[in-house]
Amino acid sequence: MARREWPLVAFTLLGQTAVGAFWLTAVPLAFAGRSAADLGGLSLGFAVYGGIAGLLGMAAASSFFHLGRPWRAVRALNNLGSSWLSREIFGELVFLVLTAGLALIEWIRPGGTARAGVLRAAVLVTGASGLLFFYGMIRLYMLRTVPAWRDAHTPVSFLVTSLILGALASALFLRLTGSRLEGVGFPTIRSLALIAFAGMVAGLAVSVFLTPQVGIFGARIATLLAPPKRKIVPFVVARGLLLAVSGSAILMYSARLKIAPDATVNPLLWLAVAGGLAAELAGRRLFYALYSRVGI
Amino acid sequence: MSRYGFFFDASACSGCKTCQAACKDKNGLGVGVLWRRVYEVQGGAWRKEGGLWRPAVFAYNVSVACNHCEEPICRTVCPTAAVIQREDGIVTIDRALCIGCRYCEWACPYGALQFDEPQGRMTKCDFCPDELEAGRPPVCVAACPMRALDFGEVEELRAKHGATAAIVPLPKPEVTKPALVIKPHRDAARAEAEGAEVANWEEI
């Protein structure tokens, strides 16, 4: 993978984390149906939306490093009619602006999103823009001239990344902000930990079964430029090991939460987050290493 | 209006790369940027005939630039709409619009779009429009000492040389419908049947 693709690694991982975190925290938060006080008011609502907007802002900023002429980046919206890259960027910007808007509303009127129907609709619209962003990200890579990307591996691996990193980021985030949401219809930190674990199991399955060239049911690419297995296998192995470490840590953390639900941020959670992030970095490097177009 | 296209005679090409050099010279292309490239294709192996091993290898060259496709995928995917197709089929890049995201480079199956690092934007073969206006052929065509390259209205080229646009290592023409006509090398069928490799990736 070329060094120039690191900004894209950052952009896609941050973006997919933001989409996952929004659907795992912001949407349930808006529909928890409790007062601002129950939900932690400003400290939680603003922190959730602001945190996700921050992730999206970092994603947008990192994407500039990929461009030869970043000062002209606004032109990337010129071709919404046919370019999935334009649509992806449009989705990202809408998602960012709406999430930042929700954060602003929470800052001005704490707990507002938990009460007002209009604002709940706004959360759903924001979530939908996140899905548009996510879908655009999938479609832009599924080029008909790049068979390794035009494969089930692309959407499935992106979805798994959203689950793993979205759930881990949410769990860490809620723990750091001191959320007390158990029993108000909001996902508990333990349930987020279990979602992350399920994502990691799915991630391992994707690596074993769907990875192009090496997976049991993975596509076999016969283009002249197809990467050799020796360039793919190290990433698959590294990702698998890191997912195993992260999965073990999050499972132990989940078991600890069952015994002591109010446990503060634990080294196990940090280990799970670090391992999960490293695993997805390896997975995304693998994704870009798979690139090979038909022809020359 | 008819569309321009290139004709390439693989049976005549000696692989001298004069076309490549002429293009680079005319357009002032920097290191690593090649709007026209010559691929050296090779294949085959030793073959046992009775008690004797004989070499049964083959090699030929394929000179490729942008094929100004009927369905240019570079134009479809470009987020800034910087890739433009003129009425005469020539595909060009609007320098002012390109932001250098390199998405077209991923998509083009001919490797036609080339990133110019110092300028931070994509570049590609523009069919030498100034030469056409002056009534001369594109410089790659004019420079070829073997007369392996030609150009013209693509329908006329097809009527004259046939409709083949496929040869290893090029992609299947159905992908983007290139304005390209090829006279295959005599070993092109073997390359298709037995497989072949490009021997000079380092150069291109």
Side-chain angles (χ1 to χ4, degrees):
Chain A
M1 191 191 82
R3 197 192 318 170
R4 64 174 182 267
E5 277 151 12
W6 274 113
L8 297 180
V9 170
F11 176 81
T12 54
L13 288 183
L14 287 165
Q16 287 160 20
T17 304
V19 173
F22 191 91
W23 278 92
L24 290 171
T25 57
V27 174
L29 173 68
F31 288 86
R34 291 303 183 95
S35 68
D38 287 339
L39 295 172
L42 176 67
S43 66
L44 183 63
F46 176 73
V48 166
Y49 299 129
I52 294 169
L55 286 173
L56 290 165
M58 285 193 288
S62 64
S63 70
F64 282 88
F65 291 95
H66 173 66
L67 301 177
R69 295 177 161 190
W71 59 93
R72 295 180 175 178
V74 70
R75 292 178 180 156
L77 298 173
N78 281 5
N79 200 8
L80 288 168
S82 77
S83 172
W84 278 105
L85 180 52
S86 278
R87 293 167 186 165
E88 179 223 36
I89 293 162
F90 177 72
E92 205 266 351
L93 290 176
V94 172
F95 189 36
L96 169 59
V97 168
L98 292 180
T99 311
L102 286 168
L104 187 64
I105 291 168
E106 281 291 324
W107 186 54
I108 295 167
R109 197 160 71 93
T113 52
R115 291 197 304 267
V118 173
L119 289 176
R120 284 181 177 174
V123 169
L124 281 184
V125 169
T126 307
S129 71
L131 293 182
L132 171 71
F133 168 43
F134 187 79
Y135 183 67
M137 214 180 318
I138 292 169
R139 288 298 303 269
L140 87 86
Y141 285 105
M142 294 185 77
L143 290 163
R144 61 190 160 92
T145 51
V146 185
W149 286 351
R150 196 176 178 82
D151 182 75
H153 178 258
T154 298
V156 174
S157 59
F158 282 11
L159 183 63
V160 163
T161 299
S162 271
L163 271 183
I164 296 173
L165 295 186
L168 284 176
S170 301
L172 182 66
F173 202 58
L174 295 178
R175 192 45 105 197
L176 288 172
T177 52
S179 141
R180 297 284 186 278
L181 295 170
E182 285 75 7
V184 295
F186 192 80
T188 61
I189 291 174
R190 186 163 177 269
S191 63
L192 288 168
L194 290 173
I195 289 170
F197 179 73
M200 289 170 195
V201 172
L204 281 172
V206 168
S207 288
V208 172
F209 293 110
L210 287 183
T211 305
Q213 301 295 69
V214 296
I216 293 169
F217 303 117
R220 297 293 182 260
I221 310 303
T223 59
L224 280 172
L225 295 162
K229 286 184 181 177
R230 64 184 162 76
K231 288 196 172 178
I232 300 171
V233 170
F235 292 121
V236 175
V237 172
R239 182 167 187 251
L241 292 174
L242 288 163
L243 282 178
V245 169
S246 181
S248 304
I250 201 70
L251 204 58
M252 285 191 276
Y253 180 65
S254 169
R256 172 154 172 74
L257 283 176
K258 194 172 184 182
I259 301 165
D262 291 335
T264 54
V265 178
N266 188 290
L268 285 170
L269 180 57
W270 284 111
L271 178 61
V273 170
L277 187 58
E280 291 315 292
L281 277 171
R284 199 46 46 89
R285 281 208 59 175
L286 162 69
F287 179 78
Y288 287 107
L290 285 169
Y291 169 79
S292 73
R293 59 181 177 243
V294 296
I296 47 182
Chain B
M1 185 178 184
S2 297
R3 298 167 54 236
Y4 280 117
F6 282 117
F7 166 70
F8 172 64
D9 184 350
S11 68
C13 179
S14 66
C16 69
K17 303 183 178 70
T18 305
C19 53
Q20 195 175 291
C23 172
K24 209 167 164 66
D25 181 51
K26 192 253 180 189
N27 294 294
L29 306 181
V31 174
V33 179
L34 291 170
W35 290 358
R36 180 169 282 280
R37 299 161 308 286
V38 178
Y39 292 82
E40 298 171 5
V41 182
Q42 65 179 29
W46 291 88
R47 184 180 294 159
K48 194 173 185 183
E49 293 178 6
L52 186 67
W53 286 91
R54 302 176 69 97
V57 295
F58 61 85
Y60 60 85
N61 305 289
V62 177
S63 171
V64 190
C66 172
N67 293 308
H68 305 275
C69 302
E70 196 178 315
E71 295 174 7
I73 191 170
C74 52
R75 190 186 61 174
T76 307
V77 303
C78 175
T80 67
V83 181
I84 298 158
Q85 188 161 35
R86 303 181 353 174
E87 278 189 12
D88 57 9
I90 295 174
V91 178
T92 61
I93 294 181
D94 184 330
R95 292 176 178 218
L97 285 178
C98 180
I99 58 174
C101 71
R102 306 179 74 161
Y103 190 34
C104 52
E105 185 185 21
W106 273 348
C108 174
Y110 294 97
L113 293 114
Q114 306 256 316
F115 186 66
D116 186 316
E117 196 85 47
Q119 294 189 60
R121 66 178 185 84
M122 302 308 296
T123 62
K124 67 180 288 300
C125 161
D126 56 6
F127 222 102
C128 295
D130 50 339
E131 298 293 322
L132 294 180
E133 276 178 30
R136 295 190 293 266
V139 290
C140 54
V141 173
C144 179
M146 306 300 289
R147 294 291 176 261
L149 281 171
D150 199 359
F151 83 107
E153 292 186 358
V154 72
E155 289 309 323
E156 285 181 13
L157 292 174
R158 284 173 183 150
K160 190 173 168 186
H161 302 287
T164 302
I167 188 171
V168 175
L170 302 189
K172 294 193 186 316
E174 301 82 60
V175 179
T176 56
K177 299 184 179 167
L180 175 68
V181 174
I182 288 176
K183 181 179 176 186
H185 186 271
R186 65 173 183 267
D187 288 323
R190 273 191 71 193
E192 181 70 36
E194 300 172 21
E197 61 184 29
V198 172
N200 63 332
W201 283 121
E202 293 81 4
E203 289 181 355
I204 47 187

